[in-house]
Amino acid sequence: TRIVQDDHTHYTWLLSYYRGLFVLDEEGHQVELPANLRQHNSSTMNCLYKDNMGRLWISGFNTGCQVISWNEEGISGIDMGAFQRQTGLVPAVMQLYKDADNVYWIYQDRRGLYLYNPQTETVSHYFDNPELRPFALYQIRCITPSHEPNMIWVAYYGNRIVCLQRQGMQFHLTKSF
């Protein structure tokens, strides 16, 4: 179960592995989900988090990713069509980060870390870089942005951490612990 309180309505958003997504108001009453979230709501949703801009990100197995933003465009989705065509995988987004260049760092369940640019429909996999092959980046626990541009910290199986940088659509290792 994951719980996030949004900064706009102060509603509590809960994601249950058994009941899917539901929202409670400040008095604890369940609120109806917006229509474009209801169509994706199921127990296959597995990722709910709030980014540093207050947006909520919701994704799951073959549901794609929905973004809720009260400051920008409302509820929108990430077009995962090119990702699915190029990888042959049904999207099973477990971790997600959108960098300043609108490139997504996606941890695809049991498949590893990908870079995805929906504007250019470009996809790259961490395994494309031979220096990253020794790292178990197919079992990621956490992705968090670095203060450096186009860089993220990745915690993965075995309590290991790497810092990766994106150059174009390629991954590069900068540090490992």
Side-chain angles (χ1 to χ4, degrees):
T1 302
R2 301 185 195 267
I3 302 172
V4 172
Q5 185 175 39
D6 74 61
D7 296 335
H8 182 73
T9 64
H10 304 289
Y11 288 173
T12 302
W13 296 69
L14 296 102
L15 180 59
S16 166
Y17 292 116
Y18 303 107
R19 293 188 53 205
L21 180 68
F22 56 102
V23 182
L24 302 176
D25 65 18
E26 292 182 277
E27 286 78 41
H29 301 106
Q30 190 165 348
V31 176
E32 186 173 2
L33 290 172
N36 44 348
L37 285 179
R38 280 195 307 268
Q39 70 183 356
H40 297 290
N41 192 22
S42 70
S43 62
T44 61
M45 297 181 95
N46 63 333
C47 182
L48 167 68
Y49 75 93
K50 180 171 59 174
D51 68 16
N52 60 1
M53 295 179 65
R55 296 176 298 206
L56 300 183
W57 296 75
I58 305 164
S59 66
F61 298 103
N62 63 350
T63 62
C65 183
Q66 303 298 313
V67 182
I68 302 172
S69 173
W70 290 272
N71 302 324
E72 299 168 15
E73 67 280 350
I75 299 173
S76 62
I78 300 170
D79 181 5
M80 298 292 285
F83 181 88
Q84 187 170 354
R85 284 190 303 278
Q86 291 188 37
T87 62
L89 302 171
V90 173
V93 177
M94 302 295 286
Q95 299 282 331
L96 180 70
Y97 170 66
K98 180 180 174 184
D99 67 23
D101 295 329
N102 296 318
V103 173
Y104 292 93
W105 301 67
I106 297 173
Y107 168 53
Q108 171 80 9
D109 190 37
R110 296 185 305 269
R111 297 296 185 160
L113 190 61
Y114 289 85
L115 291 171
Y116 176 51
N117 185 332
Q119 287 81 28
T120 62
E121 298 189 345
T122 310
V123 177
S124 59
H125 189 252
Y126 85 95
F127 215 69
D128 296 339
N129 182 337
E131 76 175 330
L132 296 177
R133 290 181 183 167
F135 301 96
L137 299 181
Y138 54 87
Q139 294 182 334
I140 291 175
R141 304 293 186 239
C142 178
I143 295 174
T144 191
S146 169
H147 68 278
E148 297 290 329
N150 297 325
M151 291 176 73
I152 64 168
W153 291 96
V154 178
Y156 64 98
Y157 182 77
N159 295 322
R160 307 222 185 253
I161 299 171
V162 293
C163 186
L164 301 176
Q165 181 177 36
R166 180 181 62 79
Q167 295 175 350
M169 286 297 289
Q170 299 300 314
F171 293 96
H172 295 279
L173 179 67
T174 60
K175 298 177 188 171
S176 67
F177 305 98

